[in-house]
Amino acid sequence: MNDLKIGDVVEFQIDKIIKGGFVGKKDGVEFFLPKSLSGLKEDESVVGKIVKAKVKEFKQNSVVVDRKAYLNDVKKEIEQLKDKIVNAKVLKVKPSGLVIDINGISGFVPRDEIFYRKIDHKKYFDEGDEIEVILIDPDRRVFSIKKVLPNPWEEVKDLNPGDRIKVTVSHITDYGAFVDLGNGVEGFLHISEINWDGKNDLTLGEEIEVEIVEINPEEEKLRVTRKNLLTKPAEEFAKKYKVGDIVEGVITKFINVGAFVEVDGISVLMPNKFASFKKGEKASDIFEIGDKMEFKVITISPEENKVIVSRKDALPDPYEAFAKNNNIGDEVKGKVKYITDFGMFIDLGDIEALVRKEDYNNEYKIGDEFVGKIIEMNGNKIKLSE
């Protein structure tokens, strides 16, 4: 205690809360921090916290300290650092950034303020490293390393959306990739903009050509696309096939509206309504991934990058065959497929028929056998009666 004097800065750990403030010890000296001079909440969360404060006065058994006075001094010193490049020492390397010290004042460099590129700062810095920083947020004591360096975004301020540039793939993520313009500026290439099939086929270090979608040097924001420079799959498809052609394809993926089919390496769509002659039947109900079969080309729209194929139109029409082999009044047998407010649909194998509510009296449930007579045949509309 004999070495301390009024105005000295001390650092200690808060050990307990007493009436009127906080108490801590260091090197055998007890420090009392009055609540009114602490800038801290009076709750147990502050116990164990290491604080700095200025010596205010000496009591018989303790030293009274003032944390607010220390913080005011720090604030004044921080304000004097504004717009100045200063030397700092790295105290700790965290995933979120660097904890630094500037002549006894602690600060923080967020990871986004370390490099212009998206690289792992933990591989480049160690505790004790000397660095140059500049203050960017006095209130939170936030500093920047990259703003000390030449700003590479100044070199790209003349670029505009639509411009084509050569870039190198610098980082690959689950949601896309970052590309380097060669001067430290990085742009984002979303996975949906890499190619037309939505798959990331890029490799680290690969040089590619992209088109600028959005650029804002002030906000250090750059979005690019690669797929706009690639031939649309529908254009490639149109070079080989025309509407009405029968093609061979493989089921590769099911979606709510149908399935994707790969034809000669090109992914095309088969909507559920083209999967089967039966109403309401989905592609996922009757096919499996990897099924190989023939399809009929229904639509080719290169501008919209849309190709639609049909499985049912590549097959003989079972309703025509049914009409040839049956007549009005014939008796047929099937199973109840589903029941609606207006009747029920009967599965007759390759086709289905409707029995209106007024045309049957017995009670049925799904899966029950039904025997009835044909009362109407009109294309794919077959009606039965009990």
Side-chain angles (χ1 to χ4, degrees), residues 64-106:
V64 180
V65 294
D66 186 342
R67 182 170 176 266
K68 284 186 176 180
Y70 166 74
L71 293 176
N72 285 334
D73 287 349
V74 169
K75 185 177 181 181
K76 290 176 183 177
E77 290 184 50
I78 288 289
E79 288 174 349
Q80 291 176 2
L81 298 178
K82 192 174 181 182
D83 300 325
K84 292 179 182 178
I85 297 174
V86 295
N87 293 319
K89 179 181 287 187
V90 176
L91 296 180
K92 195 169 185 179
V93 180
K94 294 184 172 183
S96 56
L98 306 174
V99 179
I100 60 172
D101 175 83
I102 305 108
N103 297 326
I105 299 172
S106 62

Side-chain angles (χ1 to χ4, degrees), residues 339-345 354-358 360:
I339 301 171
T340 70
D341 292 338
F342 55 86
M344 57 186 180
F345 285 88
L354 169 65
V355 186
R356 293 174 299 189
K357 206 165 188 177
E358 59 266 28
Y360 66 94

Side-chain angles (χ1 to χ4, degrees), residues 193-338:
E193 295 296 330
I194 291 176
N195 51 44
W196 289 99
D197 61 13
K199 295 178 181 178
N200 195 338
D201 59 353
L202 300 174
T203 56
L204 203 61
E206 180 181 359
E207 186 176 86
I208 58 174
E209 186 176 26
V210 296
E211 181 181 299
I212 295 175
V213 176
E214 178 186 4
I215 184 166
N216 189 328
E218 287 74 24
E219 295 182 9
E220 297 179 7
K221 187 176 183 180
L222 173 64
R223 288 193 303 112
V224 297
T225 179
R226 175 174 171 252
K227 78 175 185 181
N228 285 359
L229 306 183
L230 303 176
T231 303
K232 294 178 181 178
E235 293 177 359
E236 290 290 341
F237 193 90
K239 294 176 183 177
K240 300 179 181 180
Y241 305 107
K242 61 184 184 298
V243 172
D245 283 353
I246 301 297
V247 298
E248 188 173 74
V250 177
I251 304 286
T252 58
K253 184 180 180 181
F254 294 118
I255 56 176
N256 288 336
V257 297
F260 284 111
V261 178
E262 187 173 293
V263 180
D264 287 348
I266 299 171
S267 185
V268 300
L269 176 66
M270 178 185 65
N272 284 322
K273 67 178 181 179
F274 292 127
S276 167
F277 283 95
K278 297 178 182 179
K279 297 178 179 66
E281 204 161 49
K282 294 182 178 181
S284 57
D285 296 333
I286 53 178
F287 302 122
E288 292 184 1
I289 300 298
D291 282 352
K292 189 175 184 179
M293 60 195 76
E294 290 186 334
F295 301 86
K296 186 175 184 178
V297 180
I298 302 299
T299 301
I300 304 176
S301 181
E303 288 186 2
E304 298 176 23
N305 190 41
K306 183 169 68 175
V307 176
I308 293 176
V309 296
S310 169
R311 170 57 179 164
K312 74 174 187 179
D313 288 293
L315 300 171
D317 189 338
Y319 286 93
E320 290 182 4
F322 184 85
K324 287 180 181 180
N325 297 323
N326 295 276
N327 297 299
I328 300 295
D330 285 355
E331 187 176 89
V332 293
K333 184 188 297 183
K335 288 188 175 181
V336 178
K337 187 174 182 182
Y338 44 88

Side-chain angles (χ1 to χ4, degrees), residues 18-67:
I18 64 172
K19 186 176 180 181
F22 312 89
V23 173
K25 278 187 178 182
K26 187 174 182 181
D27 298 331
V29 178
E30 183 177 273
F31 297 99
F32 174 62
L33 175 60
K35 183 178 183 299
S36 60
L37 303 178
S38 69
L40 298 170
K41 291 182 178 180
E42 194 173 359
D43 60 45
E44 292 298 324
S45 65
V46 302
V47 175
K49 182 181 177 69
I50 295 175
V51 297
K52 287 183 178 182
K54 293 182 71 173
V55 174
K56 181 178 177 61
E57 61 178 306
F58 296 98
K59 295 289 187 180
Q60 185 175 359
N61 298 316
S62 66
V63 178
V64 180
V65 294
D66 186 342
R67 182 170 176 266

